[in-house]
Amino acid sequence: MTPLKILHVSNHSRQRCGIANFGYQLSTALRLLGHSVTDWDAEYSTIYEKIQRQEPAYLPADVATYDVVHFNWQPITTSSLA
């Protein structure tokens, strides 16, 4: 199997959160399978701060270079980004 370049968009900034823990487990499992995984934080306050700094917020500028974009959406943490 050819390793994939995966963008994992999830709530990565909250340490004590079940949604974040699911994201950590998924990223770890994909890495153990040999894939290249980039974790992109979609926790709402992080997105808002990036917007205020006029930085790429919802997705990184190089999003088109990934083979797979997985969005672990949860309305409590990522709001209505979808």
Side-chain angles (χ1 to χ4, degrees), residues 13-33:
S13 62
R14 300 285 180 194
Q15 297 301 314
R16 297 184 63 166
C17 172
I19 300 154
N21 286 330
F22 173 79
Y24 299 140
Q25 291 173 10
L26 179 59
S27 291
T28 299
L30 291 169
R31 287 184 183 108
L32 289 172
L33 290 171

Side-chain angles (χ1 to χ4, degrees), residues 3 18 36 43 51 54 57-58 61:
S36 171
E43 197 275 325
I51 291 170
Q54 296 182 342
Y58 294 101

Side-chain angles (χ1 to χ4, degrees), residues 23-62:
Y24 299 140
Q25 291 173 10
L26 179 59
S27 291
T28 299
L30 291 169
R31 287 184 183 108
L32 289 172
L33 290 171
H35 300 295
S36 171
V37 180
T38 299
D39 293 327
W40 184 262
D41 193 9
E43 197 275 325
Y44 184 74
S45 61
T46 302
I47 295 290
Y48 181 79
E49 289 171 12
K50 289 178 183 178
I51 291 170
Q52 299 310 304
R53 295 190 305 260
Q54 296 182 342
E55 298 175 357
Y58 294 101
L59 295 170
D62 67 345

Side-chain angles (χ1 to χ4, degrees), residues 1-6 30-37 65-68:
M1 175 173 61
T2 304
L4 297 172
K5 182 177 176 186
I6 301 170
L30 291 169
R31 287 184 183 108
L32 289 172
L33 290 171
H35 300 295
S36 171
V37 180
T65 67
Y66 289 87
D67 299 311
V68 175

